[in-house]
């Protein structure tokens, strides 16, 4: 995606988080949305100019690009930021609105208006959600899901079924603790709005807990990633996670690693698989060449190899052999066209070769013979 211009009408050399945001906006917002807003505040108050993009924000916050876009749309909807989109609907500019200069008259109306805004958003989300209480829609790949905040009445209605009660009991066993309100909101969101079955939600929690990840934000990110990829059954999820793990294992084996990849290393692997679209065979080939060249598992070196192949349009492993042949031909041509260096160094076996050598004629030899005879 293109680089985004970030603007603000309230700039300082430190990052200031208004109390109004903490008191009124933060409690009702998704945790990942809050991270995006705080990161924007940090970027805009950087003393030097900074260029950001959706991908750079996603990398920084360890989130998906679609999650970042979802968060920006959320803050735009409640008027904390303003977005400008290009002809292809990509975000090209973000303006952080001054929360203290919104069009409110005094302190009491500020509270009332903000509460009304949040209430209106909640009502809108609930209206979209309520028909789904009896007829849940199917998961649609690529869809951006609205996340409602469930009221006490809705929570009571949704949790008053044997299936949901059973689901909550199983998840408590996975988490090894009682379910918290944030957990409950997420589970109902996945069950009702996203359209996950109880079995798929259980597998989701089983998978995340097996990776030692119990944070609701992480679990939600994995779930939405599955939904956007059209994963709507346990079988599909198992196949996707098996492929995910097999790719990591293949890289580990090529690099001779006996551990799980670190966070930065995972970012490299995901970049090679998702951004470059390389098959695992091509990635393993780059890892093998890295080991031969550097004698160590250097992810940055492998990234340079794969970046070069990506620029040259490599899609299949066979194309790499053609690139190697072309490289060898070019190297051979350069070697043949290189002029031979003159051997001006003396032979190491004769130290007198360092001096200029004379050439003697027959007359020279005759003259020297005469001189020797006269001396006698």
């Amino acid at each position: 995606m293109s680089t985004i211009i970030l603007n603000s009408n309230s700039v300082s050399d430190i990052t200031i988080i208004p109390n109004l945001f903490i008191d009124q906006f933060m409690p009702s917002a998704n945790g990942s949305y809050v991270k995006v807003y705080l990161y924007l505040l940090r970027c805009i108050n950087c003393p030097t100019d900074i260029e950001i993009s959706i991908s750079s924000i996603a990398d920084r916050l360890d989130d998906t690009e679609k999650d970042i876009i979802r968060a920006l749309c959320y803050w735009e909807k409640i008027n904390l930021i303003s977005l400008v989109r290009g002809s292809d609907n990509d975000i090209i500019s973000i303006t952080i609105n001054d929360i203290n200069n919104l069009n409110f008259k005094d302190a009491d109306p500020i509270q009332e208006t903000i509460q009304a805004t949040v209430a209106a958003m909640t009502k809108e989300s609930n209206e979209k959600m309520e028909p789904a209480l009896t007829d849940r829609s199917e998961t649609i790949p690529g869809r951006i899901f609205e996340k409602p905040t469930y009221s006490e009445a809705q929570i009571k209605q949704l949790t008053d079924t044997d299936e949901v009660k059973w689901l909550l009991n199983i998840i408590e066993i996975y988490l090894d603790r009682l379910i918290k309100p944030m957990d409950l909101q997420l589970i109902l969101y996945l069950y009702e709005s996203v359209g996950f079955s109880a079995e798929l939600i259980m597998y989701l929690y089983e998978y995340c807990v097996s990776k030692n990840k119990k944070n609701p934000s992480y679990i939600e990110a994995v779930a939405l990633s599955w939904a956007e990829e059209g994963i709507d059954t346990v079988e599909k999820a198992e196949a996707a996670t098996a492929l995910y793990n097999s790719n990591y294992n293949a890289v580990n084996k090529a690099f001779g690693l006996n551990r799980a990849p670190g966070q930065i290393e995972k970012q490299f692997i995901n970049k090679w698989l998702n951004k470059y679209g390389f098959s695992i065979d091509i990635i393993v080939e780059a890892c093998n060449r890295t080991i031969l060249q550097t004698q160590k598992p250097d992810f940055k070196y492998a990234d340079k190899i794969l970046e070069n192949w990506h620029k040259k349009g490599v899609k299949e492993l066979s194309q790499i052999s053609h690139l190697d042949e072309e490289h060898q031909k070019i190297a051979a041509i350069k070697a043949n066209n290189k002029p031979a260096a003159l051997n001006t160094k003396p032979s190491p076996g004769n130290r007198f070769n360092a001096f200029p050598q004379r050439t003697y004629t027959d007359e020279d030899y005759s003259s020297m013979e005469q001189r020797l005879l006269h001396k006698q």
Side-chain angles (χ1 to χ4, degrees):
M1 292 187 176
S2 58
T3 300
I4 297 172
I5 302 171
L6 184 62
N7 305 301
S8 174
N9 50 22
S10 175
V11 181
S12 63
D13 58 352
I14 59 174
T15 302
I16 299 176
I17 305 173
N19 290 335
L20 194 58
F21 173 79
I22 298 174
D23 295 338
Q24 298 297 333
F25 290 94
M26 188 176 72
S28 59
N30 180 287
S32 60
Y33 296 176
V34 173
K35 287 200 307 182
V36 171
Y37 184 77
L38 295 180
Y39 183 66
L40 291 178
L41 290 179
R42 172 66 183 89
C43 290
I44 200 64
N45 290 303
C46 185
T48 58
D49 294 336
I50 185 171
E51 290 186 351
I52 64 171
S53 64
I54 298 298
S55 60
S56 69
I57 299 175
D59 290 342
R60 181 64 176 172
L61 300 182
D62 193 20
D63 221 333
T64 66
E65 294 185 8
K66 290 184 178 179
D67 287 331
I68 302 302
I69 294 174
R70 189 181 293 111
L72 294 175
C73 292
Y74 173 84
W75 294 121
E76 180 189 35
K77 191 170 184 180
I78 60 176
N79 204 32
L80 286 193
I81 66 173
S82 299
L83 304 178
V84 176
R85 295 172 173 83
S87 57
D88 54 357
N89 207 34
D90 281 351
I91 298 172
I92 60 175
S93 176
I94 302 173
T95 298
I96 301 176
N97 297 325
D98 189 347
I99 195 172
N100 295 308
N101 287 337
L102 297 177
N103 294 325
F104 302 124
K105 294 181 180 178
D106 51 46
D108 291 336
I110 287 178
Q111 305 297 328
E112 295 175 0
T113 306
I114 292 175
Q115 292 173 3
T117 302
V118 174
M121 292 181 60
T122 303
K123 180 180 179 182
E124 179 183 352
S125 298
N126 290 341
E127 287 174 352
K128 293 179 180 179
M129 181 275 299
E130 284 174 355
L133 294 176
T134 56
D135 181 20
R136 293 186 290 121
S137 60
E138 294 183 356
T139 302
I140 303 174
R143 171 183 167 191
I144 296 179
F145 301 93
E146 295 288 341
K147 186 176 182 182
T149 301
Y150 295 90
S151 64
E152 292 184 8
Q154 291 169 333
I155 292 174
K156 183 177 180 181
Q157 180 183 356
L158 289 168
T159 56
D160 195 27
T161 64
D162 291 338
E163 183 179 45
V164 175
K165 288 179 181 178
W166 171 65
L167 172 62
L168 297 178
N169 288 333
I170 296 298
I171 291 178
E172 282 187 343
I173 294 174
Y174 285 149
L175 296 177
D176 196 25
R177 61 171 172 78
L178 295 175
I179 287 179
K180 299 178 181 179
M182 184 179 295
D183 300 317
L184 184 57
Q185 289 283 341
L186 173 59
I187 294 167
L188 296 180
Y189 166 57
L190 298 177
Y191 184 76
E192 284 300 325
S193 295
V194 180
F196 278 11
S197 65
E199 292 79 9
L200 183 56
I201 295 175
M202 283 191 294
Y203 179 77
L204 168 69
Y205 274 83
E206 179 185 358
Y207 170 74
C208 292
V209 171
S210 70
K211 298 174 68 64
N212 204 26
K213 301 288 187 180
K214 298 182 180 181
N215 190 302
S217 297
Y218 179 88
I219 297 172
E220 180 180 348
V222 173
L224 294 180
S225 175
W226 287 2
E228 289 160 0
E229 294 173 10
I231 297 174
D232 53 5
T233 65
V234 174
E235 292 74 19
K236 291 181 181 179
E238 288 176 340
T241 53
L243 179 62
Y244 180 84
N245 292 330
S246 67
N247 288 334
Y248 280 178
N249 291 336
V251 173
N252 281 352
K253 185 177 179 180
F255 272 152
L257 298 175
N258 295 319
R259 57 171 176 78
Q263 188 59 44
I264 300 299
E265 294 167 344
K266 287 181 180 179
Q267 291 178 8
F268 275 121
I269 298 173
N270 292 335
K271 174 184 177 182
W272 303 336
L273 290 168
N274 302 323
K275 183 177 179 180
Y276 292 163
F278 284 139
S279 66
I280 192 61
D281 292 338
I282 294 177
I283 295 173
V284 167
E285 177 64 20
C287 295
N288 291 337
R289 296 188 180 206
T290 298
I291 291 294
L292 290 174
Q293 189 67 31
T294 66
Q295 287 76 52
K296 63 180 180 179
D298 192 333
F299 279 80
K300 290 184 178 180
Y301 191 92
D303 184 59
K304 291 297 183 183
I305 295 175
L306 291 166
E307 182 181 7
N308 181 52
W309 289 348
H310 177 66
K311 289 178 179 178
K312 294 185 177 181
V314 171
K315 299 295 183 183
E316 299 177 358
L317 192 62
S318 59
Q319 293 177 286
I320 298 174
S321 300
H322 295 308
L323 289 178
D324 291 340
E325 291 174 1
E326 292 177 3
H327 178 75
Q328 291 174 1
K329 289 179 181 178
I330 293 173
I333 292 172
K334 289 182 178 179
N336 292 333
N337 293 337
K338 186 177 180 181
L342 295 176
N343 186 13
T344 58
K345 294 183 179 180
S347 172
N350 188 349
R351 59 179 179 175
F352 296 105
N353 286 341
F355 299 95
Q357 303 297 308
R358 291 186 58 183
T359 302
Y360 294 94
T361 65
D362 292 339
E363 294 179 355
D364 293 328
Y365 287 118
S366 177
S367 176
M368 285 189 289
E369 183 181 3
Q370 294 296 323
R371 285 198 297 270
L372 289 173
L373 290 173
H374 288 305
K375 285 184 180 179
Q376 291 178 355

